[in-house]
Amino acid sequence: AQTIHQWPVAEIKAVGSPLSLGCTIKGKSSPNLYWYWQATGGTLQQLFYSITVGQVESVVQLNLSASRPKDDQFILSTEKLLLSHSGFYLCAWSPQGDSDYTFGSGTRLLVI
Amino acid sequence: GDQVEQSPSALSLHEGTGSALRCNFTTTMRAVQWFRKNSRGSLINLFYLASGTKENGRLKSAFDSKERYSTLHIRDAQLEDSGTYFCAAEGRNYGSSGNKLIFGIGTLLSVKP
């Protein structure tokens, strides 16, 4: 069975500090990977997607970047956090050619 | 662009009763998913449908691509069914837009004794 693991569960970070969120998918080769974000009181927005290792497409510009260093790993990061980065970050995967999404448990980020 | 209109935005049920949530689509969607938000805020898969109906316990979902709607029926509601439910659909530009799902606004379901 496939599993999706996100870390950390929650973070409190200072404005201007770096951030790295991780996501791994086990039991599925070559999944499509996604990062979603929801600001407090806002709607879920897709930030990035990746179809294959080393390839990441940006959907929304939020001064964040993403990388896929391995087939089963998706990283979301920034060098300098903004207050507006606060919110709930979700990683998700779907099979190639299929939109059957499975979401991770999420990371709650508070930037102060 | 493609939109998903979910209703109702809030629903209150007494234990043992049932009702339906609905999502209407402004265009033909290839597939729909229903999720439930858990206590942490993540989304738990309930159903994925490319057509027809699926049933799982007290939940049943239907998707009619041609008529542009999907429903989620809950029967014999229990207290633990309370929460927020979302539909999400795969629009026309799914592949070219980054495999982006289009989400409804959610339905806050409250089940009362």
Side-chain angles (χ1 to χ4, degrees), chain B residues 8-108:
Chain B
S9 57
L11 177 64
S12 182
L13 293 176
H14 286 290
E15 267 187 302
T17 64
S19 188
L21 315 181
R22 185 178 176 103
C23 282
N24 291 325
F25 311 118
T26 57
T27 188
T28 301
M29 301 294 191
R30 267 196 343 156
V32 68
Q33 275 191 275
W34 284 92
F35 297 95
R36 178 182 167 178
K37 201 171 187 178
N38 69 8
S39 58
R40 284 207 69 247
S42 187
L43 298 174
I44 308 300
N45 285 9
L46 297 176
F47 296 102
Y48 170 78
L49 298 101
S51 65
T53 63
K54 286 186 179 179
E55 192 164 357
N56 185 1
R58 294 176 291 100
L59 297 177
K60 181 177 179 179
S61 183
F63 174 48
D64 190 324
S65 175
K66 185 178 176 185
E67 297 299 323
R68 302 182 183 179
Y69 76 91
S70 177
T71 56
L72 177 69
H73 291 259
I74 300 173
R75 62 175 176 84
D76 188 25
Q78 303 296 306
L79 296 176
E80 59 265 28
D81 293 332
S82 295
T84 304
Y85 293 78
F86 292 92
C87 68
E90 183 186 310
R92 287 172 300 175
N93 298 320
Y94 180 72
S96 60
S97 68
N99 297 3
K100 187 165 59 176
L101 291 181
I102 305 168
F103 280 83
I105 60 168
T107 297
L108 178 59

